[in-house]
């Protein structure tokens, strides 16, 4: 009896282990059961895997290369790009090395010198605030690069006496808030003052990659007032440069487009058989379309609000009708890599224009619902 009991228990346990192992293997091998961000992290990558500012390939560090004040300025104004799970994987090493170089260069600098290079610190603590932490010092905090690496600067009087990569958000535990940022005094990419025109001549090719999907610090209205016209000028120069070039040339010039397709309802310029690439340049999101025939750019121009509205509503409808019930793999195959995905969260985000989006929520590996939304500037 005892032998049979042991045999029965062993047999039952064996079936249980087989059942769990078999089902776990099936589940783990099926892409539908990945969280969307994890699937993107493991299976997706961008073709233009070069950091637009640091000019390093995915996964590479800076080596012995010394960065300039201009590099630090550009990185301090650089907000998280789209799909940050991929960005974090590919460029965290290079940006962290850049942040450490930046900190080293700041020690001994005056406040006005730092503001000229990095802009006004969005987080600041006066010497009389949170005295148990600041010990009577003035602290400035920045978020640096696409990975938003936290920098903390400590001042004695007007001079920076220490600068470090430090998790100040955790240190202050939500007891500080971003200060109102006034009009930005300098365009870190185009190197102009507010309302100043571009110098004559061609822009360096690398500028267009930096301007693509560029996000600014501070208020959108203030940026548009100071730099809206000069970003239009830069976009017009891109258009003039693009005409007559092939698709690979345009890709080398500005990287992957925001959207790539064949037909957009309501667009008179979108003839059957032509490819359409859409870009947005600068903090004011200047909208540019490049139209190709036989892989050669025949039209490149800034397009207006009416066409942008038609595209946005059509894109939103396309995603919302297709996505429900589909796996993340099926959605990416059709719609491309999402513009946003956070590790541990069951949703991804597709931008439909500069301020509108569709969030896709997943359950058991499939899109359960699609919800449109909009950002407030």
């Amino acid at each position: 009896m005892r032998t049979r009991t042991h045999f029965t228990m062993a047999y039952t346990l064996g079936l249980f282990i087989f059942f769990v192992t078999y089902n776990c293997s099936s589940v783990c091998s099926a892409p539908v059961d990945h969280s969307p961000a994890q699937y993107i992290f493991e299976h997706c990558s961008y073709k233009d895997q070069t950091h637009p500012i640091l000019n390093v390939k995915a996964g590479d560090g800076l080596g012995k290369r010394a960065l300039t004040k201009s590099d630090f300025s550009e990185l301090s104004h650089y907000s998280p790009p789209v799909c940050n799970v991929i960005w974090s994987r590919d460029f965290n090493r290079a940006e962290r090395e850049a942040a450490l170089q930046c900190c080293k260069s700041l020690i001994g600098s005056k406040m006005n010198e730092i503001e000229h290079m990095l802009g006004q610190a969005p987080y600041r603590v006066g010497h009389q605030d949170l005295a148990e932490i600041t010990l009577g010092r003035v602290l400035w905090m920045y978020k640096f690069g696409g990975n938003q690496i936290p920098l903390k600067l400590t001042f004695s009087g007007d001079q920076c006496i220490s600068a470090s990569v430090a998790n100040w958000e955790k240190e202050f535990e939500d007891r500080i808030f971003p200060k109102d940022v006034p009009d930005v005094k300098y365009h870190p990419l185009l190197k102009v003052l507010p309302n100043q025109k571009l110098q004559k001549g061609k822009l360096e090719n690398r500028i267009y990659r930096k301007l693509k999907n560029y996000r600014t610090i501070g208020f959108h209205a203030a940026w548009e007032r100071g730099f809206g016209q000069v970003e239009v000028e830069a976009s017009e120069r891109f258009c003039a440069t693009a005409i007559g070039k092939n698709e690979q040339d345009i890709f080398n010039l500005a990287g992957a487009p925001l959207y790539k397709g064949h037909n957009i309802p309501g667009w008179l310029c979108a003839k059957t058989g032509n490819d359409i690439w859409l870009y947005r340049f600068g903090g004011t999101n200047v909208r540019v379309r490049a139209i190709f025939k036989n892989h050669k750019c025949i039209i490149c121009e800034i397009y207006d609000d009416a066409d942008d509205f038609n595209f946005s509503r059509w894109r939103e409808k396309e995603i919302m009708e297709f996505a429900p019930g589909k796996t993340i793999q099926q959605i990416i195959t059709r719609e491309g890599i999402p513009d946003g995905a956070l590790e541990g969260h069951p949703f991804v985000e597709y931008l439909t224009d500069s301020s509108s989006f569709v969030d896709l929520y997943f359950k058991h590996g499939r899109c359960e619902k699609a919800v449109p939304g909009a950002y407030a500037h």
Side-chain angles (χ1 to χ4, degrees):
M1 184 71 179
R2 186 172 180 177
T3 303
R4 177 173 292 186
T5 301
H6 284 175
F7 173 81
T8 304
M9 290 175 63
Y11 179 75
T12 303
L13 181 61
L15 284 177
F16 174 77
I17 292 173
F18 172 79
F19 177 81
V20 170
T21 303
Y22 174 81
N23 282 279
C24 182
S25 174
S26 300
V27 168
C28 292
S29 63
V32 298
D33 287 315
H34 279 286
S35 68
Q38 184 65 25
Y39 178 85
I40 293 167
F41 185 86
E42 293 179 357
H43 297 276
C44 299
S45 63
Y46 292 118
K47 292 180 180 179
D48 57 342
Q49 284 295 324
T50 300
H51 195 291
I53 295 172
L54 297 175
N55 197 32
V56 295
K57 293 183 178 180
D60 288 350
L62 298 176
K64 296 182 179 180
R65 175 182 160 200
L67 299 180
T68 66
K69 290 183 178 180
S70 178
D71 295 323
F72 299 142
S73 177
E74 293 174 4
L75 283 167
S76 72
H77 292 80
Y78 197 72
S79 293
V82 294
C83 211
N84 53 353
V85 291
I86 300 177
W87 185 272
S88 179
R89 175 196 65 196
D90 291 342
F91 298 119
N92 184 60
R93 177 185 172 189
E95 287 194 346
R96 189 159 289 272
E97 290 177 6
L100 292 172
Q101 277 197 39
C102 181
C103 288
K104 187 176 180 180
S105 74
L106 295 176
I107 296 174
S109 300
K110 302 293 185 181
M111 284 182 170
N112 64 335
E113 295 171 338
I114 294 173
E115 278 198 336
H116 181 74
M117 180 168 64
L118 302 184
Q120 188 169 357
Y123 297 83
R124 305 184 294 278
V125 179
H127 65 277
Q128 294 179 338
D129 303 324
L130 306 178
E132 76 279 13
I133 295 178
T134 64
L135 301 177
R137 306 292 191 186
V138 173
L139 303 182
W140 286 6
M141 278 74 73
Y142 290 89
K143 292 184 177 180
F144 192 80
N147 281 296
Q148 296 289 272
I149 296 169
L151 305 187
K152 183 172 76 172
L153 282 57
T154 305
F155 293 87
S156 177
D158 188 46
Q159 189 174 46
C160 178
I161 59 173
S162 73
S164 61
V165 173
N167 189 358
W168 50 262
E169 292 174 304
K170 183 177 180 181
E171 179 182 2
F172 288 101
E173 296 178 343
D174 299 324
R175 289 193 287 171
I176 60 171
F177 302 93
K179 306 294 183 182
D180 291 342
V181 180
D183 291 9
V184 182
K185 300 177 181 178
Y186 184 69
H187 197 300
L189 302 183
L190 297 177
K191 316 299 183 190
V192 294
L193 299 172
N195 301 311
Q196 186 178 8
K197 292 186 176 181
L198 288 175
Q199 293 183 353
K200 293 182 179 180
K202 290 185 178 181
L203 291 172
E204 294 183 51
N205 288 351
R206 64 190 186 93
I207 293 296
Y208 297 119
R209 277 186 176 247
K210 295 179 182 181
L211 281 173
K212 185 189 73 169
N213 300 333
Y214 182 71
R215 300 182 185 183
T216 64
I217 61 173
F219 296 122
H220 180 79
W223 185 272
E224 186 168 15
R225 185 167 56 248
F227 301 115
Q229 185 55 43
V230 75
E231 289 187 340
V232 169
E233 290 178 30
S235 300
E236 289 173 342
R237 293 193 189 183
F238 170 81
C239 293
T241 302
I243 296 291
K245 287 186 165 47
N246 61 38
E247 292 177 347
Q248 187 61 50
D249 291 333
I250 304 299
F251 182 87
N252 293 339
L253 190 65
L258 173 72
Y259 170 81
K260 183 178 180 180
H262 299 287
N263 182 45
I264 299 174
W267 280 27
L268 298 178
C269 63
K271 296 181 180 179
T272 303
N274 290 346
D275 289 331
I276 305 170
W277 289 17
L278 303 185
Y279 288 97
R280 297 188 189 278
F281 291 116
T284 52
N285 290 295
V286 182
R287 302 175 294 252
V288 171
R289 62 186 168 207
I291 298 177
F292 297 86
K293 184 176 182 179
N294 298 324
H295 307 291
K296 184 178 181 180
C297 182
I298 58 172
I299 298 173
C300 191
E301 61 187 4
I302 296 172
Y303 60 96
D304 60 21
D305 291 342
D307 276 353
D308 188 52
F309 179 82
N310 287 337
F311 167 74
S312 176
R313 298 291 79 81
W314 167 76
R315 177 88 167 125
E316 178 182 290
K317 182 181 178 182
E318 285 276 297
I319 295 172
M320 292 187 68
E321 289 181 351
F322 174 78
K326 305 297 192 303
T327 66
I328 185 64
Q329 184 179 23
Q330 291 172 315
I331 293 169
I332 289 175
T333 299
R334 176 185 164 108
E335 305 295 345
I337 299 173
D339 298 300
L342 293 175
E343 188 175 354
H345 292 266
F347 70 89
V348 299
E349 184 173 282
Y350 281 95
L351 297 177
T352 55
D353 63 23
S354 60
S355 60
S356 302
F357 58 85
V358 176
D359 280 342
L360 305 181
Y361 291 85
F362 288 78
K363 188 174 183 180
H364 304 308
R366 293 183 180 271
C367 178
E368 182 182 31
K369 60 180 178 179
V371 180
Y375 297 111
H377 284 299

